[in-house]
């Protein structure tokens, strides 16, 4: 068995693992990152694409925001559409100038991957059979296989940044973990299309045929989603049917609709809310999707991963600097307070904007009244805006 040694062993090279590795590097702390998938898979997979103001600032302060500043699209507002009309919410005005940045999660992964390579610290893709040991002792370890050889990392701490299906949370005895969650009776069919965005900002639409979302990735690429069944069969969705349905659900009476073009990618994403508490188990810390999942309607997943690892890197930084464990002790409760606010917001956006077949006529009228309120009341717009652009990081 090949023996390795580091300060922090990081499982998973999604945004949580890569950003944690980078923030630790800036603190002068060594880490080893291991990832099950290939590098191509991690930097090419199409995921979310909205960065809160605080996430964008964090990347910039950490020296990995150069391309984000150039290519990321700053949006100061969003539209909510219902009953044939689009209503703009001016988020910057409501929050004293805060905004969001549309920048693909895979671009974030590319930038962080490049920073990791430049740091010279360890990052290994394509590992197998990862397992974690001894996190209730002072000397935890991680084992994995790479190129057919067994490896063991001796470390001071383990960071479980391995996503919802990862091994770290699933290694915990069930009695040590409290699980909270709900699944939704719908999913999103998402496409990426070679079509210039026909609107400068995102449009979230509730239509009698179901929810639809207009988003983008670049001045040439539109990203669109349709509410569908959780077990929706993509084979039933030829390109023409997707465009027809998107047009029906998105077009407004002023004549606006998305531009169409060649579809580059199609996929179905399930929707769930999930929290596993606590986020610390001895010397094993969970961060990002490993500890919590939000439905995508609030665009919070990537941003929660970023705020978790910001807390964790600060706590580990303080520990290595002066031996103080206070921030490590506070990591779980502090992160969870922000996570739960994002859970509430994501659940609220989801219930406001989706057609729930279990709902009755009263519920539908109430849903429209809610949208009418949110797009008409400065207080309600301010509340949506502060949540959408991101609650404070501290
Ligand atoms: N060993 C090593 N790596 C693993 C293992 C394992 N046993 N299991 C999973 N992984 C890897 C996955 O392949 C993935 O690359 O961990 C990584 C987790 O990354 P993400 O799922 O992207 O989760 P996270 O980094 O927390 O980022 C959260 O990603 O899922 C989106 O919308 C979500 O934007 C949010 C963000
Ligand atoms: C996206 O662009 O992929 C996106 C935007 C907003 C969301 C979810 C996804 O709420």
């Amino acid at each position: 068995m090949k023996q390795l040694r580091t300060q922090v062993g990081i499982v998973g090279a999604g945004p949580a693992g890569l950003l944690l590795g980078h923030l630790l590097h800036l603190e002068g702390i060594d880490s080893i990152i291991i990832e099950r998938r290939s590098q191509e898979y991690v930097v090419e997979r199409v995921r979310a694409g909205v960065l809160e103001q605080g996430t964008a600032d964090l990347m910039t302060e950490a020296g990995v925001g150069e391309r984000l500043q150039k290519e990321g699209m700053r949006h100061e507002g969003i539209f909510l559409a219902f009953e044939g009309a689009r209503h703009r919410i001016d988020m910057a005005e409501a929050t004293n100038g805060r905004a969001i940045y549309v920048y693909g999660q895979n671009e974030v992964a590319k930038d962080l991957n490049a920073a990791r390579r430049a740091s010279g610290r360890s990052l290994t893709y394509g590992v197998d059979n990862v397992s974690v040991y001894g996190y209730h002792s002072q000397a935890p370890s991680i084992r994995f296989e790479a190129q057919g050889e067994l490896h063991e990392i001796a470390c001071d701490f383990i960071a479980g940044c391995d996503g919802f299906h990862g091994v770290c949370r699933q290694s915990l005895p069930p009695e040590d973990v409290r699980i909270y969650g709900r699944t939704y009776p719908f999913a999103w069919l998402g496409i990426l299309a070679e079509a210039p965005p026909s609107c400068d900002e995102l449009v979230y639409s509730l239509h009698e045929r179901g929810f639809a979302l207009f988003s983008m990735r670049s001045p040439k690429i539109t990203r669109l989603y349709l509410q569908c069944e959780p077990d929706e069969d993509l084979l039933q969705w030829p390109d023409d049917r997707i465009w027809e349905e998107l047009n029906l659900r998105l077009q407004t009476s002023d004549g606006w609709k998305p531009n169409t073009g060649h579809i580059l990618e199609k996929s179905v994403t399930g929707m769930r809310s999930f929290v596993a508490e606590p986020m610390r188990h001895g010397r094993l810390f969970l961060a990002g999707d490993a500890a919590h999942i939000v439905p995508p309607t609030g665009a919070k997943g990537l941003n929660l991963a970023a705020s978790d690892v910001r807390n964790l890197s600060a706590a580990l930084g303080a520990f290595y600097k002066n031996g103080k464990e206070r921030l490590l002790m506070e990591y779980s409760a502090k992160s969870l307070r922000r996570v739960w606010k994002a859970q509430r917001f994501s659940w609220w956006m989801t219930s406001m904007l989706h057609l729930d077949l279990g709902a009755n006529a009263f519920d539908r009228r109430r849903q429209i009244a809610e949208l009418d309120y949110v797009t008409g009341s400065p207080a309600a717009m301010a509340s949506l805006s502060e949540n959408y652009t991101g609650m404070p990081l501290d």
Side-chain angles (χ1 to χ4, degrees):
M1 185 154 54
K2 194 167 169 193
Q3 295 290 336
L4 307 166
R5 156 87 211 153
T6 188
Q7 290 171 296
V8 183
I10 301 178
V11 184
L18 287 171
L19 184 57
L20 177 64
H22 182 66
L23 296 174
L24 292 176
H25 167 68
L26 297 179
E27 302 260 5
I29 299 168
D30 189 48
S31 62
I32 292 177
I33 307 179
I34 52 171
E35 163 62 49
R36 202 159 56 102
R37 305 285 197 159
S38 68
Q39 175 169 332
E40 295 69 46
Y41 180 89
V42 172
V43 300
E44 295 307 331
R45 64 184 158 185
V46 181
R47 305 290 276 278
V50 172
L51 273 54
E52 293 173 355
Q53 180 73 55
T55 306
D57 293 347
L58 175 63
M59 292 212 21
T60 303
E61 283 156 22
V64 286
E66 201 181 316
R67 220 159 52 88
L68 163 65
Q69 294 296 334
K70 266 204 294 249
E71 296 171 29
M73 293 178 277
R74 180 183 159 89
H75 288 192
E76 298 198 340
I78 55 167
F79 287 91
L80 297 184
F82 58 100
E83 299 197 312
R86 270 184 305 162
H87 304 262
R88 182 167 188 267
I89 297 188
D90 191 332
M91 300 188 299
E93 186 185 88
T95 59
N96 228 336
R98 293 168 73 78
I100 52 138
Y101 295 78
V102 176
Y103 190 65
Q105 178 172 319
N106 61 313
E107 304 300 334
V108 172
K110 253 182 237 169
D111 297 342
L112 291 170
N113 197 64
R116 185 69 181 180
R117 295 297 178 210
S119 76
R121 299 199 194 264
S122 173
L123 164 57
T124 308
Y125 287 96
V127 307
D128 266 328
N129 289 329
V130 177
S131 50
V132 292
Y133 302 91
Y135 44 83
H136 283 297
S137 76
Q138 304 275 85
S141 60
I142 305 172
R143 287 190 191 165
F144 65 97
E145 282 169 37
Q147 274 114 32
E149 199 183 348
L150 196 59
H151 293 65
E152 184 175 57
I153 309 172
C155 48
D156 303 332
F157 298 97
I158 300 173
C161 300
D162 47 350
F164 182 65
H165 300 287
V167 68
C168 291
R169 187 189 72 252
Q170 293 183 48
S171 303
L172 298 166
E175 62 273 19
D176 288 357
V177 190
R178 291 185 303 279
I179 302 286
Y180 301 88
R182 61 152 65 214
T183 52
Y184 296 85
F186 34 76
W188 281 11
L189 191 167
I191 64 162
L192 200 61
E194 253 169 346
S198 62
C199 174
D200 289 342
E201 294 173 339
L202 274 56
V203 183
Y204 288 82
S205 173
L206 172 64
H207 186 271
E208 61 200 19
R209 299 176 67 88
F211 169 77
L213 169 60
F214 166 90
S215 180
M216 64 200 71
R217 281 294 175 277
S218 75
K220 291 187 179 148
I221 305 284
T222 302
R223 175 93 172 131
L224 297 143
Y225 298 95
L226 282 173
Q227 175 181 350
C228 64
E229 296 296 319
D231 57 354
E232 195 76 49
D233 178 6
L234 275 176
L235 292 174
Q236 304 302 314
W237 286 89
D239 296 4
D240 288 352
R241 181 176 173 208
I242 294 180
W243 286 121
E244 190 185 333
E245 194 63 34
L246 281 166
N247 275 331
L248 284 171
R249 295 191 197 180
L250 283 168
Q251 69 186 229
T252 42
S253 42
D254 59 2
W256 179 79
K257 59 182 184 185
N259 288 328
T260 58
H262 173 59
I263 296 183
L264 298 164
E265 197 256 358
K266 280 183 213 180
S267 59
V268 173
T269 316
M271 312 245 302
R272 67 161 82 224
S273 300
F274 172 88
V275 182
E277 296 187 357
M279 289 168 64
R280 174 188 183 174
H281 298 263
R283 288 187 165 227
L284 169 63
F285 292 82
L286 300 176
D289 277 17
H292 41 74
I293 298 279
V294 283
T297 328
K300 290 284 164 252
L302 171 60
N303 297 293
L304 287 179
S307 52
D308 286 353
V309 301
R310 180 177 177 272
N311 290 342
L312 185 52
S313 61
L316 290 166
F319 175 81
Y320 281 111
K321 214 161 281 154
N322 52 31
K324 294 231 165 79
E325 293 202 35
R326 187 176 58 86
L327 293 180
L328 288 173
M329 312 273 284
E330 290 172 1
Y331 168 73
S332 177
K334 179 175 174 176
S335 300
L336 284 167
R337 271 201 304 280
R338 195 167 191 281
V339 165
W340 274 108
K341 288 192 194 92
Q343 288 287 355
R344 183 208 66 82
F345 177 68
S346 304
W347 163 85
W348 173 73
M349 286 283 279
T350 302
S351 17
M352 178 169 68
L353 286 160
H354 288 75
L355 192 70
D356 181 350
L357 292 176
N360 64 19
F362 173 86
D363 297 321
R364 300 224 176 94
R365 291 297 275 263
R366 185 189 43 74
Q367 219 174 358
I368 296 297
E370 178 133 33
L371 282 161
D372 193 15
Y373 173 60
V374 166
T375 53
S377 150
M381 287 191 270
S383 168
L384 186 148
S385 300
E386 83 168 333
N387 280 280
Y388 198 85
T389 58
M391 296 301 287
L393 286 169
D394 280 315

